[in-house]
Amino acid sequence: MGSVEPIYKLRDLRHAYHHRPVLEIESLDIRRAAIVGLLGPNGSGKSTLLRLLGFIDRPTRGSILYNGHPTLPFADTVKSQVTLLPQEPYLMKRSVFANVAYGLSLRGRSGNIPDRVQSALRQVGLSPERFCRRQWNELSGGEAQRVALAARLVLKPAVLLLDEPTASVDAASVELIRAASLNARNEWGTTLVIASHDRQWLDQVCDDMCYLFQGRVVDTDGSNLFFGPWEPRADGHYEKKLANGQCLVVPPPPGHSAVAVIHPSGFRIVPHKRETGPETGKDPCHLEGLITQMTLRRGREQLAVTLAVGDLGLTVTSAQHEADQQQLYPGKKIRVRYLPADVEWISGRN
Amino acid sequence: MEFLVDGFLTAFQLLFSADEQTFSAIYATLKVSIYSMVASLLMGVPAGFCLGYFQFPGKRQIRLLTDTLLALPTVFIGLLVYAFISSRGPLGHMGLLFTLPGIAVGQTILALPIVISLSATAVESMDRHLRVTLISLGADRKHLLFSSLWEIRHSILAAALTAYGRVMTEVGISMMVGGNIKWHTRTITTAIALETNKGLFGMGIALGLVLMGIAFAVNISVSALRKR
């Protein structure tokens, strides 16, 4: 994930719960001071990866190098630089002040605690005067999430791991949590690793993206995972029938539960043209769909164009100037082309 | 009904005149219950924490045994302790028979399964995110233990209260191990049993009122602690 000395190097990492493998990462580097987005469906291993990066759990196998040094057994000096905000943060049964100050006192940073706590609360948009003395059970969901974030920000961590930080909070809290998290990177050079389903936000803020699927890092930006059943065709290829009568043609899958991946750059937007006869697996295949969403990907001068093709959603990347030329806009019907040879397979885990 | 009214009147007389015999039983009860509660909490809370927190072979069997011991009859505990500390028993040389420490041993056996079982339940029902939160904020093993216990302090208090209620109101152990010796090992409950047998309702009711008063004071204290 880049040429700068990474803050994390994960090698041959395996993790299992009750002998059931949940994470298998051959190699993954995370750059210092980068914002890294973790994408993937539920159960793909995002939270597990964050817990390993946060030294909460020990991996079953493999190594995590932090600043180039092995982290097993976890040294307190390393652990004190990293903090994780879980998806459902837990506030201890104490006041807001005590919750935010807890980490400081644990880490032996006892100087000027009131000022630090107040500053952290302001960062997340909570008035110290109003909130310091409140009890944990006198907060709304969004306020509790912001207090939990303040408890991490007050530590000025080198790495802040955020697990779905804006899930199930109110809109105002979402903005404040996002701003406070980014501020940590901009102000202290904190490395942010954010697991989220909010693809649009991650596209906007992340320097790097990592897509997890069934516990493995997948070489895709997270779009275009196509699940079976795959039906054989006369030409030796397989197809998935879509709701509107179109077919997604693929090479023979390696197994029943195999998942097809087509990188968004593997699709090309082509002009509308009437085709005659059925498409064969050797030739480029075509799909027609309606643009449902267009997102500008940060620093890449690329648009991610999401299409609805029958019951299938797929993403196509397009350079900005191409999008201008083709006058793309949501609601427009477009035609895309791909080569079945570009289809990659992920062996499904049953 | 007249004897009951007389009993209540006598009870107030005994209490307000600081009757020595009555206060001797109250003193013995408080002393022995404090001994047994301190011992059972010191052993039971860490044991309950370990039983609820850690996974180890035989955990389910230990849990089953602890839960079964919740229904241990006090006379059976009294019998066992008597057998062990009587002059013929293996611990006879310690001279615990017919002493308050002897009763405290029996009451500790009575309270221990309650403290262990309810503490383990409290730990098991602890929010699963607590551990992640504490570690992510920098807690080591020691902080993890104490902060977790602090988080479930209300449940631990409830466990202690339940055990205290059982200890305060038991008769079998005090009677068998203590011998109900006047001025010495006579507790509130054994005194009530004896006085009632003698037809002296006044003292029985007085001691009953004291028991209820102690229970009320303990509950008020726990309630105040819960608010903190």
Side-chain angles (χ1 to χ4, degrees), chain A residues 119-134:
Chain A
S119 166
L121 285 173
R122 280 193 202 97
Q123 274 183 287
V124 295
L126 296 174
S127 156
E129 293 75 25
R130 282 180 55 212
F131 282 89
C132 266
R133 289 186 180 181
R134 279 205 200 173

Side-chain angles (χ1 to χ4, degrees), chain A residues 51 55-57 82-84 86 88 90 92-94 102-103 106-107 151-152 155, chain B residues 127-140 143 147 150-151 153-154:
Chain A
R51 287 161 69 102
F55 310 119
I56 307 289
D57 295 334
V82 181
T83 187
L84 164 71
E88 293 168 50
Y90 180 89
M92 288 173 282
K93 295 181 177 67
R94 307 167 189 211
Y102 181 79
L106 278 187
R107 296 179 188 215
R152 273 77 183 171
L155 305 171
Chain B
D127 194 307
R128 63 196 168 91
H129 299 107
L130 173 63
R131 179 179 163 270
V132 176
T133 296
L134 293 177
I135 296 176
S136 73
L137 291 174
D140 55 19
H143 288 115
S147 295
W150 184 249
E151 286 304 294
R153 59 191 179 278
H154 294 150

Side-chain angles (χ1 to χ4, degrees), chain B residues 174-228:
Chain B
S174 303
M175 191 70 88
M176 293 179 76
V177 179
N180 197 19
I181 303 167
K182 194 174 179 181
W183 309 112
H184 185 49
T185 58
R186 181 165 296 172
T187 62
I188 294 177
T189 49
T190 55
I192 291 173
L194 181 73
E195 300 302 325
T196 308
N197 280 342
K198 283 158 53 182
L200 299 173
F201 290 98
M203 189 158 185
I205 292 171
L207 291 169
L209 288 175
V210 171
L211 261 188
M212 288 186 66
I214 292 171
F216 185 65
V218 170
N219 272 299
I220 290 273
S221 311
V222 170
S223 176
L225 280 172
R226 275 184 180 166
K227 282 182 185 165
R228 290 188 64 194

Side-chain angles (χ1 to χ4, degrees), chain A residues 13-16 52 57-64 71-72 74:
Chain A
L13 199 71
R14 301 283 185 277
H15 196 62
L52 295 180
D57 295 334
R58 290 176 180 224
T60 310
R61 209 182 82 192
S63 64
I64 302 175
T71 54
L72 281 173
F74 306 140

